[in-house]
């Protein structure tokens, strides 16, 4: 029996068991009151309003602060006890530091630009990474569904990630977006910078064609705002939704409790996948693309 | 700023109010307040990392890189030194061996010379002795021959006198002796040299 057939058979049996469970136990009726997306809803905990802007402290702000605290604490702690013979944690941090310095920053920017932008790009990587990882730790943050423990109402443990909220990747993307335009204009001047958007090889083309290409390039620059932010946001949100559904959400939603026994192992697999790969990969991609955008804006030829 | 805050307000309102009614649209509605919080928190993080963490880590890494470079350098130096020493010792050893060979060769030569000289001297001495012996023998032989010749002459004279009963005059005497001597072969008694 070839491997392909074995895998197909395994998947087939898996789905057959799911259908069988559905037929045997029957649904308790679709659960209308459970809104999975509300896991990501932000309830203001402390109402703050300054100059008409709602600066209320909510779950996302807590996660921002947690990510920041974890980043600062880890990095400062490691930096204070840098030994000549590193232990495992120090080796890991050194590896990550080396990645941000020589790969993400050094690989995409020239020397002076790398020195200038290294703190920003490295912080992007570390902060997004810590933010992603904290997102996989269950924390008592679900105030919508508190749990009664010995008469005390304690918020339920829940998974959430700052990066699973569009505002946060978006504002980071905006900073990157304005930064690379600023560097481009600073290096080349305003009009030469706009001109440098045009790809090489179309100098001899008629003006109308060049204008057309320029419009496309303009659109592509604005699309970067969406692609960079949504890539991070959607990856983390999708991961959390998968964990939510596989970890029991699907069973609740379908009113089919027995299904949970089958989906739960999948939740475990996805959890390992998210923590082991997606969290680091997305932090890496976000900071690398930022470096590429900044490097591209100051590069001689487009 | 006014305009921005208005947009933010609208978005936040959309996020908080729209959530319940529109299902999940709040998921993709950015909130200005949260964005400001993000900027603040991220900015603070970046400030601390770039002031405290990154320089220290870089310093430690540079220090280690320098240490490693120095270690490699000193190891190379030590290696070179030891190689130089080895070469020197080898040269000295070769020199000493050459000297020893030289000494042995010289000694052998001296011994050979001495031996040859001794042999030569011995030979000379032997030949000298032999020559002396030969001279002695010759002299003795000659003396003996002389004595024999004289005795033969005397005996001849005596015998002749006895036979003839007369004394011989000088001329007779000489003739007799010569005759007798010519009859007697002394040649066999003479040494080799005197023969020729």
């Amino acid at each position: 029996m070839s491997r392909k057939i074995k895998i197909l058979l395994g998947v087939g049996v898996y789905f057959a068991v799911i259908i069988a469970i559905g037929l045997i136990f029957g649904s308790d009726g679709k659960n209308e009151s459970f809104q999975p997306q509300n896991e990501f809803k932000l309830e203001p905990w402390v109402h703050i309003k300054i100059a008409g802007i709602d600066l209320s402290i909510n779950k996302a702000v807590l996660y921002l602060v947690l990510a920041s605290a974890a980043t600062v604490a880890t990095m400062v702690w490691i930096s204070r006890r840098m030994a000549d013979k590193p232990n495992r944690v120090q080796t890991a941090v050194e590896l990550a530091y080396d990645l941000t310095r020589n790969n993400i920053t050094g690989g995409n920017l020239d020397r002076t630009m790398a020195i200038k932008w290294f703190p920003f790009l490295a912080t992007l990587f570390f902060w997004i990474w810590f933010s992603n990882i904290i997102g996989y730790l269950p924390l008592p943050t679900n105030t919508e569904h508190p749990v009664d423990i010995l008469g005390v109402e304690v918020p339920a443990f829940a998974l959430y990630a700052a990066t699973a909220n569009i505002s946060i990747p978006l504002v980071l993307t905006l900073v990157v977006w304005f930064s690379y335009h600023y560097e481009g204009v600073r290096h080349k001047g305003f009009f030469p910078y706009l001109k440098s958007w045009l790809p090489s090889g179309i100098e001899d083309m008629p003006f109308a064609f060049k204008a057309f290409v320029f419009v496309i390039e303009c659109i592509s620059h604005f699309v970067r705002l969406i692609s960079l932010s949504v890539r991070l946001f959607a990856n983390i949100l999708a991961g959390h939704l998968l964990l939510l559904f596989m970890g029991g959400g699907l069973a609740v939603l379908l009113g089919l409790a027995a299904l949970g026994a089958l989906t739960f192992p999948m939740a475990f697999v996805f959890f390992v996948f998210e923590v082991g790969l997606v969290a680091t990969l997305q932090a890496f991609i976000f900071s690398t693309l930022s470096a590429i955008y900044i490097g591209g804006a100051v590069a001689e030829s487009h | 700023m006014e305009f921005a805050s208005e947009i933010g307000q609208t978005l936040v309102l959309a996020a908080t109010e729209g959530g319940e009614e529109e299902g999940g649209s709040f998921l993709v509605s950015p909130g200005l307040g949260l964005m400001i919080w993000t900027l603040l928190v991220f900015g603070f993080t970046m400030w601390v990392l770039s002031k405290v963490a990154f320089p220290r880590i870089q310093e430690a890494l540079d220090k280690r890189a320098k240490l490693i470079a120095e270690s490699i350098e000193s190891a190379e130096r030590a290696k070179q030194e030891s190689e130089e020493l080895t070469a020197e010792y080898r040269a000295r050893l070769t020199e000493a061996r050459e000297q020893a060979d030289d000494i042995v060769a010289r000694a052998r030569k001296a011994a050979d010379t001495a031996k040859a000289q001794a042999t030569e001297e011995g030979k000379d001495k032997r030949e000298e002795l032999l020559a002396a012996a030969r001279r002695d023998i010759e002299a003795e032989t000659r003396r003996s021959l002389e004595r024999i010749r004289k005795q033969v002459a005397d005996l001849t004279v005596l015998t002749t006198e006895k036979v003839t009963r007369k004394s011989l005059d000088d001329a007779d005497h000489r003739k007799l002796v010569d005759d007798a001597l010519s009859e007697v072969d002394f040649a066999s008694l003479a040494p080799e040299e005197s023969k020729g």
Side-chain angles (χ1 to χ4, degrees):
Chain A
M1 201 162 32
S2 74
R3 182 175 292 174
K4 194 176 160 190
I5 294 173
K6 275 183 196 168
I7 291 170
L8 283 176
L9 206 69
V11 172
V13 168
Y14 184 79
F15 281 109
V17 171
I18 289 176
I19 292 164
I21 285 172
L23 291 176
I24 295 163
F25 294 97
S27 175
D28 298 340
K30 197 163 175 288
N31 190 334
E32 299 288 346
S33 64
F34 175 55
Q35 302 270 327
Q37 69 271 24
N38 285 1
E39 286 288 314
F40 301 91
K41 213 171 88 177
L42 298 174
E43 279 189 28
W45 293 340
V46 182
H47 286 277
I48 302 172
K49 205 162 189 172
I50 298 168
I53 303 169
D54 182 21
L55 286 169
S56 299
I57 291 174
N58 50 33
K59 192 157 67 176
V61 176
L62 173 74
Y63 270 81
L64 285 177
V65 172
L66 282 176
S68 181
T71 313
V72 166
T74 310
M75 297 305 284
V76 170
W77 176 66
I78 285 291
S79 75
R80 290 176 87 94
R81 54 181 298 285
M82 286 288 284
D84 282 337
K85 288 178 187 165
N87 60 11
R88 283 183 201 171
V89 182
Q90 189 185 328
T91 308
V93 171
E94 279 178 13
L95 266 176
Y97 181 86
D98 189 67
L99 178 79
T100 57
R101 186 173 180 81
N102 297 328
N103 191 314
I104 296 173
T105 313
N108 297 307
L109 299 172
D110 64 44
R111 209 176 146 68
T112 43
M113 288 287 281
I115 290 168
K116 184 177 176 186
W117 288 98
F118 168 72
F120 174 66
L121 294 168
T123 310
L124 266 184
F125 175 79
F126 284 112
W127 191 76
I128 293 173
W129 188 82
F130 274 103
S131 182
N132 289 349
I133 288 296
I134 287 173
Y136 298 112
L137 301 176
L139 298 173
T141 53
N142 192 340
T143 46
E144 202 183 356
H145 304 287
V147 182
D148 198 326
I149 297 175
L150 303 171
V152 183
E153 285 211 335
V154 177
F157 276 85
L159 292 183
Y160 183 72
T163 37
N165 186 301
I166 187 66
S167 306
I168 288 146
L170 183 62
V171 74
L172 294 177
T173 302
L174 279 170
V175 173
V176 171
W177 198 78
F178 282 113
S179 300
Y180 85 76
H181 286 311
Y182 164 76
E183 280 294 348
V185 171
R186 203 174 66 90
H187 268 75
K188 297 174 177 168
F190 185 72
F191 287 109
Y193 172 60
L194 292 185
K195 219 178 147 194
S196 75
W197 288 4
L198 292 174
S200 57
I202 62 160
E203 287 84 359
D204 304 330
M205 297 287 182
F207 177 78
F209 180 75
K210 283 202 258 185
F212 172 68
V213 173
F214 183 76
V215 171
I216 292 176
E217 289 292 335
C218 283
I219 293 169
S220 88
H221 276 280
F222 280 99
V223 167
R224 282 179 176 184
L225 273 178
I226 300 167
S227 67
L228 188 60
S229 57
V230 169
R231 184 181 298 110
L232 175 59
F233 155 70
N235 266 289
I236 303 304
L237 180 70
H240 278 77
L241 281 172
L242 268 175
L243 294 182
L244 178 64
F245 284 131
M246 292 298 135
L250 200 60
V252 174
L253 211 59
L254 296 176
L256 194 56
L259 192 63
L262 279 174
T263 57
F264 195 77
M266 294 300 289
F268 179 76
V269 172
F270 280 121
F271 188 85
V272 171
F273 174 71
E274 291 289 322
V275 174
L277 184 70
V278 176
T280 309
L281 194 65
Q282 288 307 319
F284 176 75
I285 289 174
F286 193 97
S287 45
T288 302
L289 279 175
S290 302
I292 288 172
Y293 290 164
I294 296 169
V298 301
E300 282 311 312
S301 58
H302 190 64
Chain B
M1 203 60 209
E2 275 294 314
F3 176 66
S5 70
E6 268 182 46
I7 293 176
Q9 272 310 100
T10 324
L11 291 174
V12 171
L13 281 174
T16 47
E17 291 175 2
E20 298 288 353
E21 294 154 22
E22 295 165 34
S25 74
F26 69 89
L27 283 173
V28 288
S29 313
L32 187 64
L34 195 52
M35 287 164 103
I36 290 167
W37 273 115
T38 309
L39 279 182
L40 286 176
V41 171
F42 181 82
F44 170 76
T45 311
M46 190 171 103
W47 180 74
V48 176
L49 290 189
S50 62
K51 286 287 164 216
V52 183
F54 292 153
R56 280 210 193 115
I57 293 175
Q58 189 60 46
E59 194 189 339
L61 291 181
D62 287 348
K63 206 175 111 196
R64 188 186 304 149
K66 210 174 135 200
L67 195 78
I68 289 169
E70 274 171 5
S71 307
I72 290 172
E73 228 167 76
S74 78
E76 266 171 11
R77 250 202 321 271
K79 197 182 152 205
Q80 202 182 335
E81 262 173 33
S82 74
E83 268 170 10
E84 274 169 15
L85 272 178
T86 313
E88 201 188 314
Y89 281 134
R90 201 163 288 155
R92 273 196 200 170
L93 204 65
T94 315
E95 207 178 306
R97 199 168 289 151
E98 273 169 12
Q99 275 179 5
D101 285 350
D102 196 33
I103 289 167
V104 168
R106 239 184 301 167
R108 193 165 290 152
K109 208 169 145 194
D112 283 351
T113 316
K115 206 166 112 188
Q117 211 176 338
T119 315
E120 197 66 34
E121 271 174 15
K123 208 170 142 194
D124 284 356
K125 194 137 203 168
R126 201 181 65 211
E127 266 165 22
E128 210 175 283
L129 283 171
L130 271 174
R134 205 169 284 141
R135 267 196 312 277
D136 284 356
I137 290 166
E138 244 172 71
E140 202 59 40
T141 310
R142 213 172 292 135
R143 242 192 336 270
S144 303
L145 278 175
E146 210 54 46
R147 234 181 356 251
I148 290 167
R149 192 191 287 253
K150 205 166 172 270
Q151 271 181 5
V152 168
D154 288 350
L155 276 173
T156 311
V157 171
L158 200 66
T159 317
T160 314
E161 271 175 358
K162 285 259 173 82
V163 170
T164 61
R165 289 281 176 198
K166 69 166 188 173
S167 68
L168 293 172
D169 61 5
D170 209 40
D172 293 340
H173 198 176
R174 183 62 45 204
K175 196 179 174 283
L176 269 174
V177 171
D178 283 344
D179 284 351
L181 284 175
S182 65
E183 279 168 23
V184 178
D185 184 18
F186 288 108
S188 59
L189 295 170
E192 293 287 305
E193 290 100 312
S194 59
K195 229 190 219 174

